[in-house]
PDB file of all heavy atoms in Angstrom:
ATOM      1  N   ALA A  30      25.735  -6.059  -2.454  1.00 97.00           N
ATOM      2  CA  ALA A  30      24.350  -5.642  -2.243  1.00 97.00           C
ATOM      3  C   ALA A  30      23.541  -6.611  -1.424  1.00 97.00           C
ATOM      4  O   ALA A  30      23.813  -7.788  -1.397  1.00 97.00           O
ATOM      5  CB  ALA A  30      23.631  -5.345  -3.615  1.00 97.00           C
ATOM      6  N   GLU A  31      22.549  -6.064  -0.702  1.00 96.00           N
ATOM      7  CA  GLU A  31      21.663  -6.858   0.090  1.00 96.00           C
ATOM      8  C   GLU A  31      20.304  -6.987  -0.706  1.00 96.00           C
ATOM      9  O   GLU A  31      19.541  -7.929  -0.501  1.00 96.00           O
ATOM     10  CB  GLU A  31      21.402  -6.258   1.461  1.00 96.00           C
ATOM     11  CG  GLU A  31      20.867  -4.874   1.548  1.00 96.00           C
ATOM     12  CD  GLU A  31      20.897  -4.364   2.970  1.00 96.00           C
ATOM     13  OE1 GLU A  31      21.316  -5.026   3.827  1.00 96.00           O
ATOM     14  OE2 GLU A  31      20.319  -3.249   3.188  1.00 96.00           O
ATOM     15  N   LEU A  32      20.092  -6.111  -1.707  1.00 96.00           N
ATOM     16  CA  LEU A  32      18.992  -6.248  -2.638  1.00 96.00           C
ATOM     17  C   LEU A  32      19.450  -5.748  -4.020  1.00 96.00           C
ATOM     18  O   LEU A  32      20.057  -4.617  -4.057  1.00 96.00           O
ATOM     19  CB  LEU A  32      17.859  -5.458  -2.185  1.00 96.00           C
ATOM     20  CG  LEU A  32      16.645  -5.349  -3.108  1.00 96.00           C
ATOM     21  CD1 LEU A  32      15.999  -6.674  -3.305  1.00 96.00           C
ATOM     22  CD2 LEU A  32      15.504  -4.361  -2.545  1.00 96.00           C
ATOM     23  N   VAL A  33      19.170  -6.475  -5.004  1.00 97.00           N
ATOM     24  CA  VAL A  33      19.443  -6.110  -6.392  1.00 97.00           C
ATOM     25  C   VAL A  33      18.242  -6.153  -7.259  1.00 97.00           C
ATOM     26  O   VAL A  33      17.524  -7.252  -7.150  1.00 97.00           O
ATOM     27  CB  VAL A  33      20.547  -6.987  -7.098  1.00 97.00           C
ATOM     28  CG1 VAL A  33      20.779  -6.554  -8.515  1.00 97.00           C
ATOM     29  CG2 VAL A  33      21.919  -6.778  -6.368  1.00 97.00           C
ATOM     30  N   LEU A  34      17.914  -5.161  -7.987  1.00 98.00           N
ATOM     31  CA  LEU A  34      16.758  -5.180  -8.924  1.00 98.00           C
ATOM     32  C   LEU A  34      17.330  -5.090 -10.410  1.00 98.00           C
ATOM     33  O   LEU A  34      18.070  -4.168 -10.640  1.00 98.00           O
ATOM     34  CB  LEU A  34      15.865  -4.019  -8.668  1.00 98.00           C
ATOM     35  CG  LEU A  34      15.234  -3.878  -7.234  1.00 98.00           C
ATOM     36  CD1 LEU A  34      14.416  -2.694  -7.068  1.00 98.00           C
ATOM     37  CD2 LEU A  34      14.508  -5.158  -6.832  1.00 98.00           C
ATOM     38  N   VAL A  35      16.902  -6.034 -11.246  1.00 98.00           N
ATOM     39  CA  VAL A  35      17.322  -5.981 -12.601  1.00 98.00           C
ATOM     40  C   VAL A  35      16.187  -5.275 -13.369  1.00 98.00           C
ATOM     41  O   VAL A  35      15.080  -5.764 -13.318  1.00 98.00           O
ATOM     42  CB  VAL A  35      17.598  -7.333 -13.158  1.00 98.00           C
ATOM     43  CG1 VAL A  35      18.058  -7.335 -14.658  1.00 98.00           C
ATOM     44  CG2 VAL A  35      18.713  -8.084 -12.262  1.00 98.00           C
ATOM     45  N   VAL A  36      16.560  -4.159 -14.070  1.00 98.00           N
ATOM     46  CA  VAL A  36      15.590  -3.355 -14.724  1.00 98.00           C
ATOM     47  C   VAL A  36      15.789  -3.395 -16.270  1.00 98.00           C
ATOM     48  O   VAL A  36      16.877  -3.038 -16.730  1.00 98.00           O
ATOM     49  CB  VAL A  36      15.670  -1.918 -14.179  1.00 98.00           C
ATOM     50  CG1 VAL A  36      14.604  -1.034 -14.809  1.00 98.00           C
ATOM     51  CG2 VAL A  36      15.548  -1.879 -12.703  1.00 98.00           C
ATOM     52  N   LYS A  37      14.662  -3.812 -16.930  1.00 98.00           N
ATOM     53  CA  LYS A  37      14.615  -3.718 -18.404  1.00 98.00           C
ATOM     54  C   LYS A  37      14.145  -2.381 -18.876  1.00 98.00           C
ATOM     55  O   LYS A  37      12.966  -1.969 -18.557  1.00 98.00           O
ATOM     56  CB  LYS A  37      13.742  -4.757 -18.922  1.00 98.00           C
ATOM     57  CG  LYS A  37      13.656  -4.809 -20.443  1.00 98.00           C
ATOM     58  CD  LYS A  37      12.664  -5.861 -20.927  1.00 98.00           C
ATOM     59  CE  LYS A  37      12.498  -5.790 -22.447  1.00 98.00           C
ATOM     60  NZ  LYS A  37      11.393  -6.635 -22.926  1.00 98.00           N
ATOM     61  N   LYS A  38      14.997  -1.556 -19.594  1.00 98.00           N
ATOM     62  CA  LYS A  38      14.583  -0.226 -20.035  1.00 98.00           C
ATOM     63  C   LYS A  38      13.345  -0.305 -20.972  1.00 98.00           C
ATOM     64  O   LYS A  38      13.286  -1.150 -21.777  1.00 98.00           O
ATOM     65  CB  LYS A  38      15.662   0.412 -20.782  1.00 98.00           C
ATOM     66  CG  LYS A  38      16.901   0.857 -19.995  1.00 98.00           C
ATOM     67  CD  LYS A  38      17.868   1.729 -20.776  1.00 98.00           C
ATOM     68  CE  LYS A  38      18.048   1.239 -22.124  1.00 98.00           C
ATOM     69  NZ  LYS A  38      19.064   1.904 -22.936  1.00 98.00           N
ATOM     70  N   GLN A  39      12.399   0.615 -20.588  1.00 98.00           N
ATOM     71  CA  GLN A  39      11.195   0.734 -21.447  1.00 98.00           C
ATOM     72  C   GLN A  39      10.936   2.049 -21.898  1.00 98.00           C
ATOM     73  O   GLN A  39      10.204   2.295 -22.940  1.00 98.00           O
ATOM     74  CB  GLN A  39       9.986   0.260 -20.676  1.00 98.00           C
ATOM     75  CG  GLN A  39      10.027  -1.234 -20.288  1.00 98.00           C
ATOM     76  CD  GLN A  39       8.788  -1.566 -19.528  1.00 98.00           C
ATOM     77  OE1 GLN A  39       8.515  -1.055 -18.435  1.00 98.00           O
ATOM     78  NE2 GLN A  39       8.028  -2.538 -20.017  1.00 98.00           N
ATOM     79  N   PHE A  40      11.566   3.096 -21.315  1.00 98.00           N
ATOM     80  CA  PHE A  40      11.107   4.509 -21.642  1.00 98.00           C
ATOM     81  C   PHE A  40      12.324   5.339 -21.184  1.00 98.00           C
ATOM     82  O   PHE A  40      12.899   5.085 -20.089  1.00 98.00           O
ATOM     83  CB  PHE A  40       9.849   4.907 -20.896  1.00 98.00           C
ATOM     84  CG  PHE A  40       9.425   6.326 -21.178  1.00 98.00           C
ATOM     85  CD1 PHE A  40       8.717   6.673 -22.265  1.00 98.00           C
ATOM     86  CD2 PHE A  40       9.849   7.339 -20.292  1.00 98.00           C
ATOM     87  CE1 PHE A  40       8.222   7.978 -22.512  1.00 98.00           C
ATOM     88  CE2 PHE A  40       9.424   8.662 -20.434  1.00 98.00           C
ATOM     89  CZ  PHE A  40       8.551   8.914 -21.607  1.00 98.00           C
ATOM     90  N   CYS A  41      12.651   6.462 -21.949  1.00 98.00           N
ATOM     91  CA  CYS A  41      13.556   7.430 -21.570  1.00 98.00           C
ATOM     92  C   CYS A  41      13.152   8.686 -22.134  1.00 98.00           C
ATOM     93  O   CYS A  41      12.747   8.833 -23.313  1.00 98.00           O
ATOM     94  CB  CYS A  41      14.955   7.070 -22.052  1.00 98.00           C
ATOM     95  SG  CYS A  41      16.190   8.330 -21.614  1.00 98.00           S
ATOM     96  N   GLN A  42      13.161   9.730 -21.357  1.00 97.00           N
ATOM     97  CA  GLN A  42      12.919  11.114 -21.744  1.00 97.00           C
ATOM     98  C   GLN A  42      13.577  12.135 -20.967  1.00 97.00           C
ATOM     99  O   GLN A  42      13.666  11.980 -19.656  1.00 97.00           O
ATOM    100  CB  GLN A  42      11.356  11.350 -21.592  1.00 97.00           C
ATOM    101  CG  GLN A  42      10.965  12.678 -22.179  1.00 97.00           C
ATOM    102  CD  GLN A  42       9.405  12.853 -22.269  1.00 97.00           C
ATOM    103  OE1 GLN A  42       8.707  12.325 -21.314  1.00 97.00           O
ATOM    104  NE2 GLN A  42       8.954  13.492 -23.180  1.00 97.00           N
ATOM    105  N   THR A  43      14.157  13.144 -21.631  1.00 97.00           N
ATOM    106  CA  THR A  43      14.789  14.218 -20.898  1.00 97.00           C
ATOM    107  C   THR A  43      13.759  15.145 -20.310  1.00 97.00           C
ATOM    108  O   THR A  43      12.809  15.459 -20.860  1.00 97.00           O
ATOM    109  CB  THR A  43      15.651  15.011 -21.881  1.00 97.00           C
ATOM    110  OG1 THR A  43      16.637  14.145 -22.464  1.00 97.00           O
ATOM    111  CG2 THR A  43      16.442  16.161 -21.158  1.00 97.00           C
ATOM    112  N   MET A  44      13.963  15.517 -19.065  1.00 96.00           N
ATOM    113  CA  MET A  44      13.089  16.476 -18.446  1.00 96.00           C
ATOM    114  C   MET A  44      13.077  17.727 -19.231  1.00 96.00           C
ATOM    115  O   MET A  44      14.126  18.308 -19.453  1.00 96.00           O
ATOM    116  CB  MET A  44      13.396  16.713 -16.951  1.00 96.00           C
ATOM    117  CG  MET A  44      13.261  15.486 -16.026  1.00 96.00           C
ATOM    118  SD  MET A  44      13.777  15.907 -14.421  1.00 96.00           S
ATOM    119  CE  MET A  44      13.100  14.649 -13.539  1.00 96.00           C
ATOM    120  N   ALA A  45      11.893  18.191 -19.617  1.00 96.00           N
ATOM    121  CA  ALA A  45      11.801  19.451 -20.453  1.00 96.00           C
ATOM    122  C   ALA A  45      11.599  20.656 -19.560  1.00 96.00           C
ATOM    123  O   ALA A  45      10.731  20.569 -18.690  1.00 96.00           O
ATOM    124  CB  ALA A  45      10.610  19.317 -21.448  1.00 96.00           C
ATOM    125  N   PRO A  46      12.382  21.677 -19.754  1.00 96.00           N
ATOM    126  CA  PRO A  46      12.279  22.918 -18.877  1.00 96.00           C
ATOM    127  C   PRO A  46      10.847  23.475 -18.881  1.00 96.00           C
ATOM    128  O   PRO A  46      10.333  23.888 -17.846  1.00 96.00           O
ATOM    129  CB  PRO A  46      13.191  23.917 -19.506  1.00 96.00           C
ATOM    130  CG  PRO A  46      14.211  23.025 -20.325  1.00 96.00           C
ATOM    131  CD  PRO A  46      13.455  21.804 -20.709  1.00 96.00           C
ATOM    132  N   ALA A  47      10.187  23.421 -20.023  1.00 96.00           N
ATOM    133  CA  ALA A  47       8.798  23.944 -20.089  1.00 96.00           C
ATOM    134  C   ALA A  47       7.754  23.081 -19.407  1.00 96.00           C
ATOM    135  O   ALA A  47       6.650  23.581 -19.141  1.00 96.00           O
ATOM    136  CB  ALA A  47       8.408  24.043 -21.630  1.00 96.00           C
ATOM    137  N   SER A  48       8.127  21.839 -19.022  1.00 96.00           N
ATOM    138  CA  SER A  48       7.176  21.003 -18.245  1.00 96.00           C
ATOM    139  C   SER A  48       7.162  21.233 -16.825  1.00 96.00           C
ATOM    140  O   SER A  48       6.336  20.709 -16.132  1.00 96.00           O
ATOM    141  CB  SER A  48       7.620  19.532 -18.564  1.00 96.00           C
ATOM    142  OG  SER A  48       7.399  19.177 -19.942  1.00 96.00           O
ATOM    143  N   PHE A  49       8.086  22.003 -16.304  1.00 96.00           N
ATOM    144  CA  PHE A  49       8.157  22.273 -14.853  1.00 96.00           C
ATOM    145  C   PHE A  49       6.896  23.118 -14.492  1.00 96.00           C
ATOM    146  O   PHE A  49       6.700  24.208 -15.016  1.00 96.00           O
ATOM    147  CB  PHE A  49       9.435  22.922 -14.428  1.00 96.00           C
ATOM    148  CG  PHE A  49      10.570  21.948 -14.205  1.00 96.00           C
ATOM    149  CD1 PHE A  49      11.350  21.516 -15.278  1.00 96.00           C
ATOM    150  CD2 PHE A  49      10.860  21.471 -12.913  1.00 96.00           C
ATOM    151  CE1 PHE A  49      12.394  20.548 -15.141  1.00 96.00           C
ATOM    152  CE2 PHE A  49      11.936  20.580 -12.749  1.00 96.00           C
ATOM    153  CZ  PHE A  49      12.700  20.179 -13.808  1.00 96.00           C
ATOM    154  N   ILE A  50       6.235  22.721 -13.507  1.00 97.00           N
ATOM    155  CA  ILE A  50       5.184  23.504 -12.924  1.00 97.00           C
ATOM    156  C   ILE A  50       5.679  24.340 -11.723  1.00 97.00           C
ATOM    157  O   ILE A  50       5.403  25.443 -11.539  1.00 97.00           O
ATOM    158  CB  ILE A  50       3.983  22.615 -12.458  1.00 97.00           C
ATOM    159  CG1 ILE A  50       3.421  21.868 -13.725  1.00 97.00           C
ATOM    160  CG2 ILE A  50       2.906  23.346 -11.642  1.00 97.00           C
ATOM    161  CD1 ILE A  50       2.567  20.679 -13.317  1.00 97.00           C
ATOM    162  N   ASP A  51       6.617  23.717 -10.985  1.00 96.00           N
ATOM    163  CA  ASP A  51       7.243  24.349  -9.835  1.00 96.00           C
ATOM    164  C   ASP A  51       8.497  24.978 -10.369  1.00 96.00           C
ATOM    165  O   ASP A  51       9.565  24.349 -10.381  1.00 96.00           O
ATOM    166  CB  ASP A  51       7.507  23.266  -8.763  1.00 96.00           C
ATOM    167  CG  ASP A  51       8.079  23.891  -7.529  1.00 96.00           C
ATOM    168  OD1 ASP A  51       8.547  25.069  -7.496  1.00 96.00           O
ATOM    169  OD2 ASP A  51       8.169  23.128  -6.445  1.00 96.00           O
ATOM    170  N   GLU A  52       8.482  26.302 -10.559  1.00 96.00           N
ATOM    171  CA  GLU A  52       9.720  27.041 -11.121  1.00 96.00           C
ATOM    172  C   GLU A  52      10.796  27.035 -10.087  1.00 96.00           C
ATOM    173  O   GLU A  52      11.962  27.015 -10.413  1.00 96.00           O
ATOM    174  CB  GLU A  52       9.313  28.407 -11.490  1.00 96.00           C
ATOM    175  CG  GLU A  52       8.489  28.527 -12.775  1.00 96.00           C
ATOM    176  CD  GLU A  52       9.385  28.065 -13.999  1.00 96.00           C
ATOM    177  OE1 GLU A  52      10.593  28.350 -14.095  1.00 96.00           O
ATOM    178  OE2 GLU A  52       8.812  27.310 -14.866  1.00 96.00           O
ATOM    179  N   GLU A  53      10.415  27.028  -8.699  1.00 97.00           N
ATOM    180  CA  GLU A  53      11.508  26.984  -7.724  1.00 97.00           C
ATOM    181  C   GLU A  53      12.257  25.681  -7.773  1.00 97.00           C
ATOM    182  O   GLU A  53      13.539  25.778  -7.539  1.00 97.00           O
ATOM    183  CB  GLU A  53      10.828  27.187  -6.309  1.00 97.00           C
ATOM    184  CG  GLU A  53      10.271  28.588  -6.066  1.00 97.00           C
ATOM    185  CD  GLU A  53      11.276  29.745  -6.375  1.00 97.00           C
ATOM    186  OE1 GLU A  53      12.471  29.603  -5.776  1.00 97.00           O
ATOM    187  OE2 GLU A  53      11.000  30.676  -7.002  1.00 97.00           O
TER     188      GLU A  53
END
């Protein structure tokens, strides 16, 4: 890699079908 970012997890959530505003 030419750039590496180390990320500490803080949040995880599954995208909810009912949350979509754009049905397309």
Side-chain angles (χ1 to χ4, degrees):
E31 56 189 7
L32 174 65
V33 173
L34 305 177
V35 180
V36 182
K37 178 183 177 187
K38 287 188 320 185
Q39 295 181 300
F40 179 86
C41 178
Q42 183 174 35
T43 302
M44 293 180 164
S48 295
F49 278 83
I50 296 165
D51 183 348
E52 286 294 319
E53 291 304 313

